Amino acid sequence: MRHNVGSYRIPSGTVDEPRPESRRIVAELMGALVDRVRGAAGVLDYLNLLLCLHYLRGANPDRFDSLAARSRMVAGLDAAAQLLRDIGRSADDGLRSRGVHSSMAEALGRLEPRTARDLRQVVDAMSRLDEDVFGLILDAYEQQAALGSGEFFTPRAVVRLMTRLACSEFGPGQPQSVYDPFARDGGFLIEAAAACSVDEDGLPRRQAVRTHGETRLVDTWRLATMNLLLHGVPPALDLRRTEPWNDERGNTPKASYDIVLTNPPFNMSDPGREQRLHGRWAYGAPPLDNDNFAYVQHCLAMLSDRGRAGIIMPNKAGNSGHQAERNIRRNLVEAGVVDCVIALPAHLFTGTAVPVSVWLLRHPADPCETTLFLDARHMGAKNGPRRVLGPQDAESLLDAYRAHRRGEGVAPGSWTTAEGRQVPGALVSREGLRGCGYSLNPLDHVERRRNSGGAPAYVRASARERLSHAEERLEAAQEAAARLPFVGDHGPLPLEARQVSEVPLHVLCGIQAGPSYSRLGRAQRTGDGQVPVVFPQHLRDRRISEEVGERVTEETARRLRNFELQDKDIVCVRSGAIVPPVLVREREVGWLMSPNVLRVRVHEGQRGRVLPEYLFHYLCLDETVEWMRDRAAATAAPSLRSESLGALQIRLPDLAEQRVIAMALGGLDELDRAHREVAAALRDARTALAEGLLSPAAAFSSGPAPHCSSEKGVLL
């Protein structure tokens, strides 16, 4: 929802997960259009075009509508070049009116679209975006440019989690100021300003929260400034040439803030022996070639007496063996400034695969006697090559943290949130941290089963929960199976003597081989794509596996639209080990066939003659699968040809009988899956119980992992 402030439309907040249609549009914009519009210019210049349009649509909708109308009339390259310059000037005018120097007209003037139609397509696509996708555009650029630094984007869910953690001990309207020493796209400043925007009565605060951010790159500064303005946050963003802990003259900053949030760049190289001699190092000089603890100390130095800081850190920083870093960790612990450390799931970030944690810090004037460690590595849902933290994941972590702060999470046992979700954690005293060499890595404190992601109590509880759910599903499947035709009555089959016709498969169905390797080979597949591709290895137990990892971009999928899967299609192996086929379900609609599979689809004119579900079960018969294997083995290179499969004779009773047969066999398939789910859950429960009963460390300790043996932590 948007509301107007003069001519300035402000989104109500950032978007955790943009809608699929928005993702599709951004994928279109960051596909072939990038090269078609930029010409010899850089990708960043094209990105500036997208963000200028996105900014104008929010900040000056009348001007955007005027430019969009012009774009629909642009017919030549000269007119396209003039439109680009005018888009840049319009963005510059808007930014300069708010005190921000900008040169977007110059950047957009470097673009060289091949045709006016390409530019029209870009403007039209931007006009169809009806939600805040600033971060999504930056994320797509990050992938396009193959940046290794993760320069621009911190996932919205992580930003929101850290903001809520840092603000959790403040009442409504209490935090007066927010600071980010490495502002990237300005996401932390936007989220914190939104979180602190209302007073105790839920009304807008009379005085806005003071925000301040810093960055070292001109491009980052310009893009973050637009993002801040688009969200109604004053663009107090400095472009610095020095580290944030020193000003231009080498002096340390003097300001202080209630909330400090940041995702700084971190260096995972082995620390050197030298240490810094200058800076505000209250806890010890960090190594010269590693800024991890320089940022930690800078964040602490910028806090007000009641302040809280949240910072993303590599897990390695928590238990690095470097003497200088170990000394800093010791001083942090002894000062009581480390409130909570949360291990995040892998693959949350586009720009790095380094495992990271969130460190929640507090001012030494308000120290804590214990540190809470939470293990969130099991949380989140897989979305392509990345994981995404959902709202329930964030609520679970916030619940666990709040209970710790209220003293409710100090009893041994597995902590369960109000939503019934369990969070492995450990509450470790200062003495316990001394005994662990001052490690601040959650994995050194949260008890976990070997080769598993949770504490023994958590693993056992999760295993019991899975077994209980599996048994409930089995009971329901058994009750449904008892009512199935041919199953529940145990009598003779009434259809054994029926007369049926036999029809070749190609008469009933279209049989389509997957695209050639030249059209869908390794070059077209990417871990960053949105559309899954089905290979033979994904055909398991008459279902398409949940673990489809091969994907292509939306643009590639559009080029291969003829190879899309539809509901009730049947997929067979074309080349490779022949296994029973699968029936496509709704969730797999729009996925692509790989070159190694065949698609069987009932002709429109034959739908009154054969049911796809019946045909699927017929193709799954053991004798049918053997027939397909024989035909595949008869070729020079083992492969099942479309013509060979089309010759298969299908026995066809009438539709009513087909429906009854499909119902019975489909019900038994569900019962089969329910039995196997119970068996798998039972094996997991047995393994978890064995670990608890037979492992001395797991069975009789509720403290740190075996390599930290001096004091027992408290499991949540």
Side-chain angles (χ1 to χ4, degrees):
M1 178 180 299
R2 300 173 190 265
H3 55 279
N4 288 307
V5 179
S7 63
Y8 186 58
R9 293 189 301 177
I10 304 174
S12 58
T14 57
V15 177
D16 281 338
E17 274 302 296
R19 291 192 290 270
E21 176 64 12
S22 296
R23 288 190 174 279
R24 188 191 68 75
I25 293 172
V26 171
E28 173 188 337
L29 288 165
M30 295 305 294
L33 282 171
V34 176
D35 292 334
R36 294 190 62 83
V37 172
R38 72 184 178 96
V43 177
L44 184 59
D45 293 324
Y46 175 80
L47 177 74
N48 285 330
L49 169 61
L50 300 188
L51 297 180
C52 281
L53 290 168
H54 192 49
Y55 167 71
L56 287 171
R57 191 175 183 206
N60 192 342
D62 292 338
R63 182 58 177 156
F64 175 86
D65 292 342
S66 173
L67 292 167
R70 276 182 57 191
S71 75
R72 291 190 287 271
M73 306 298 294
V74 168
L77 291 180
D78 289 342
Q82 184 60 51
L83 177 61
L84 285 169
R85 287 192 292 271
D86 288 346
I87 292 171
R89 289 193 189 101
S90 297
D92 287 340
D93 290 344
L95 292 170
R96 288 168 183 162
S97 69
R98 293 172 173 85
V100 179
H101 175 72
S102 178
S103 56
M104 287 298 183
E106 179 183 349
L108 271 55
R110 292 192 289 266
L111 296 173
E112 301 173 353
R114 295 184 187 179
T115 67
R117 180 177 178 274
D118 292 325
L119 181 58
R120 288 200 304 270
Q121 189 173 346
V122 169
V123 179
D124 175 68
M126 292 301 300
S127 68
R128 289 184 278 119
L129 288 168
D130 59 357
E131 62 178 331
D132 171 32
V133 292
F134 205 95
L136 184 60
I137 294 173
L138 292 178
D139 192 24
Y141 165 68
E142 192 172 79
Q143 299 175 27
Q144 176 83 19
L147 295 178
S149 63
E151 178 65 38
F152 291 118
F153 189 56
T154 303
R156 300 301 88 179
V158 177
V159 170
R160 187 155 294 176
L161 171 65
M162 291 174 62
T163 302
R164 294 181 68 186
L165 283 168
C167 294
S168 62
E169 290 192 58
F170 291 90
Q174 288 185 0
Q176 301 296 321
S177 53
V178 181
Y179 169 62
D180 182 352
F182 198 85
R184 297 180 185 263
D185 66 339
F188 282 114
L189 299 176
I190 293 168
E191 192 64 38
C196 303
S197 62
V198 296
D199 60 19
E200 293 84 350
D201 299 321
L203 300 174
R205 292 173 59 160
R206 293 182 179 179
Q207 184 175 0
V209 176
R210 175 169 59 96
T211 59
H212 181 64
E214 296 170 357
T215 184
R216 296 191 207 177
L217 300 179
V218 173
D219 295 329
T220 307
W221 172 78
R222 184 183 296 118
L223 298 175
T225 296
M226 279 197 292
N227 200 14
L228 291 165
L229 284 171
L230 189 61
H231 289 84
V233 179
L237 195 63
D238 287 347
L239 180 62
R240 299 178 57 95
R241 292 191 295 271
T242 63
E243 297 86 352
W245 40 88
N246 289 319
D247 66 15
E248 301 295 334
R249 298 180 180 179
N251 299 319
T252 55
K254 301 299 183 184
S256 63
Y257 300 86
D258 293 337
I259 302 291
V260 176
L261 297 164
T262 193
N263 175 15
F266 43 77
N267 187 339
M268 293 301 295
S269 63
D270 290 331
R273 293 182 177 276
E274 293 182 279
Q275 298 178 5
R276 302 166 198 257
L277 300 178
H278 304 287
R280 189 185 296 188
W281 311 128
Y283 303 92
L288 277 173
D289 59 355
N290 191 312
D291 285 344
N292 295 341
F293 285 94
Y295 272 100
V296 167
Q297 295 191 73
H298 176 64
C299 289
L300 284 167
M302 300 300 289
L303 286 178
S304 65
D305 287 351
R306 62 175 185 168
R308 297 290 184 270
I311 180 170
I312 294 174
M313 291 284 283
N315 285 355
K316 181 179 178 182
N319 56 6
S320 162
H322 188 278
Q323 187 60 45
E325 295 189 342
R326 182 186 170 100
N327 289 340
I328 295 171
R329 291 199 306 271
R330 177 195 64 206
N331 293 333
L332 293 172
V333 169
E334 295 297 342
V337 300
V338 185
D339 189 1
C340 179
V341 184
I342 304 174
L344 294 179
H347 307 298
L348 284 179
F349 297 80
T350 300
T352 179
V354 174
V356 299
S357 296
V358 171
W359 289 24
L360 190 62
L361 309 172
R362 56 172 58 211
H363 192 277
D366 182 24
C368 54
E369 298 299 320
T370 57
T371 297
L372 176 66
F373 295 92
L374 297 175
D375 185 0
R377 291 176 301 151
H378 62 291
M379 291 185 170
K382 191 156 179 63
N383 182 7
R386 294 173 59 182
R387 295 192 73 81
V388 177
L389 284 177
Q392 289 298 322
D393 297 317
E395 286 299 328
S396 297
L397 293 168
L398 285 163
D399 281 351
Y401 174 74
R402 289 169 182 149
H404 156 63
R405 296 311 310 156
R406 292 193 301 261
E408 298 172 7
V410 297
S414 182
W415 167 254
T416 303
T417 69
E419 293 80 17
R421 298 164 67 89
Q422 293 175 315
V423 182
L427 190 61
V428 184
S429 70
R430 197 173 299 167
E431 181 63 32
L433 292 174
R434 290 180 190 132
C436 290
Y438 295 100
S439 170
L440 295 178
N441 189 327
L443 308 189
D444 286 343
H445 302 284
V446 180
E447 275 195 332
R448 63 200 187 280
R449 192 182 70 188
R450 289 187 302 273
N451 301 320
S452 176
Y458 167 76
V459 172
R460 292 197 298 275
S462 297
R464 286 195 297 269
E465 184 177 356
R466 287 195 303 273
L467 180 57
S468 176
H469 289 168
E471 289 173 336
E472 290 175 4
R473 181 184 171 195
L474 175 58
E475 183 178 357
Q478 287 172 328
E479 292 177 358
R483 298 189 295 269
L484 289 172
F486 317 132
V487 177
D489 56 17
H490 304 292
L493 297 180
L495 306 176
E496 287 179 338
R498 71 192 185 282
Q499 295 293 319
V500 298
S501 60
E502 290 194 355
V503 183
L505 183 63
H506 71 83
V507 173
L508 301 170
C509 304
I511 304 173
Q512 172 71 58
S516 65
Y517 283 100
S518 62
R519 300 184 69 186
L520 185 57
R522 289 189 178 277
Q524 287 77 30
R525 302 196 300 271
T526 169
D528 298 326
Q530 297 83 35
V531 182
V533 182
V534 178
F535 283 80
Q537 61 265 31
H538 302 138
L539 278 57
R540 301 179 188 171
D541 300 321
R542 299 186 289 277
R543 285 276 183 92
I544 296 178
S545 168
E546 303 279 344
E547 303 171 0
V548 177
E550 298 278 356
R551 295 173 182 264
V552 297
T553 63
E554 294 275 5
E555 180 188 2
T556 300
R558 282 194 296 275
R559 290 202 305 267
L560 300 174
R561 194 177 300 277
N562 291 338
F563 303 98
E564 283 185 348
L565 297 177
Q566 295 180 6
D567 191 30
K568 304 298 173 56
D569 281 350
I570 299 168
V571 181
C572 304
V573 175
R574 178 187 183 190
S575 58
I578 302 296
V579 298
V582 301
L583 185 68
V584 174
R585 296 169 290 168
E586 286 188 10
R587 82 176 191 98
E588 295 132 10
V589 170
W591 293 14
L592 285 184
M593 310 157 56
S594 72
N596 310 82
V597 300
L598 294 168
R599 182 187 66 203
V600 178
R601 179 180 295 166
V602 176
H603 290 310
E604 287 285 344
Q606 297 293 328
R607 292 188 177 180
R609 192 177 183 188
V610 62
L611 292 176
E613 296 90 342
Y614 170 84
L615 186 59
F616 160 69
H617 290 296
Y618 194 91
L619 294 177
C620 286
L621 282 170
D622 287 347
E623 62 188 69
T624 305
V625 175
E626 284 301 322
W627 184 94
M628 290 189 283
R629 286 172 180 159
D630 289 342
R631 299 308 183 276
T635 59
S639 179
L640 181 62
R641 300 175 59 203
S642 301
E643 296 82 359
S644 299
L645 183 59
L648 176 66
Q649 295 291 319
I650 306 298
R651 294 169 57 84
L652 283 185
D654 62 41
L655 276 180
E657 292 180 2
Q658 292 181 36
R659 190 169 290 109
V660 172
I661 292 170
M663 183 187 304
L665 297 178
L668 288 179
D669 281 346
E670 288 298 320
L671 183 59
D672 175 42
R673 278 187 281 271
H675 273 290
R676 284 188 279 116
E677 185 178 335
V678 168
L682 187 60
R683 286 192 296 270
D684 289 345
R686 189 267 179 199
T687 301
L689 182 60
E691 286 286 346
L693 293 173
L694 303 177
S695 170
F700 305 111
S701 171
S702 59
H707 49 287
C708 293
S709 58
S710 67
E711 178 173 321
K712 295 176 171 34
V714 181
L715 285 175
L716 300 181

